[in-house]
Amino acid sequence: MNAHDGGRQQLDAASVLNARTTLVQLLARAGVYSGDAEELIGLIEAGALALAHQEVDGLAHDAPRGADERYGSGWLDGARAAADGLGGIAEHALRQAVAAGVPDRSADDRPPVGRMELERAKVAVLPLYLSFSDVSDLDPEATDQVLKAVLATLTSRQRAGYPGRITEFAALHRPRLERLYEEYGPGSAIAIHGRYSLVHSPTSLAVLERLLGDPAPLREEWDAAELPPAWLDGLLTAWESSAPA
């Protein structure tokens, strides 16, 4: 870290590499495969760059007050150029992150679902589900199979942004989802076993988002995984019955 006369402090390249390597080694001791660790770190780095791009892009719309026209025009041109450059760096970082450990993978491919992609999906859907309902048992193996079927319909890039996608879906349909889980989820008169089993699982949010957004690929992956078709039909029935009167 360099600091000159009390000015801005920034990490140098060696210090950044040291922190990254240390984190990978610590995660390895906890049993996290180095490729998975690199992917997670890469996504965090790409996300930090994307957020920085948003901030710089905001500066590209308003010149400092009191500046004359020529100064303002030059300032805006420079800010736009900086924002565009940072956006390109963020895009490159994302492509590298989703291809971590798999050099031949493209951000726009739909490769087999990786362990870390599955874990990130679980972390994304569980707190959202708990905002609607209580935790209810569903076979862990079935949970993994359902989420793999969902993620298999997405590209590597889409999987990287999946938490944002499912969070937006839950916010957009919150009143209707509240009715759905109240009528069919844990604590309702509907038993956990049967065609409405999926409503008792956090994976129901993930499945419903795909059913409403792009059902054909999901049904293909569902059949390939030999999951019960009745679960999809039951979830759609519950969704339709929860529509506003």
Side-chain angles (χ1 to χ4, degrees), residues 123-133 163 166-168 170 174 205:
V123 170
V125 299
L126 180 58
L128 291 174
Y129 179 79
L130 292 178
S131 71
F132 295 108
S133 187
I166 195 65
T167 299
E168 183 179 1
R174 175 159 290 277
L205 278 171

Side-chain angles (χ1 to χ4, degrees), residues 138 142-143 145-146 149 194-198 207 211 218-219 221-235:
L138 186 68
T143 295
Q145 289 178 323
V146 169
R195 67 196 307 253
Y196 298 109
S197 296
L198 208 58
V207 174
L211 276 176
L218 176 64
R219 290 189 179 276
E221 296 294 340
W222 200 265
D223 291 341
E226 299 183 346
L227 290 163
W231 285 2
L232 294 182
D233 297 336
L235 186 57

Side-chain angles (χ1 to χ4, degrees), residues 74-94:
W75 193 93
L76 290 175
D77 287 343
R80 291 191 189 101
D84 290 344
L86 187 54
I89 295 173
E91 171 72 13
H92 179 68
L94 176 58

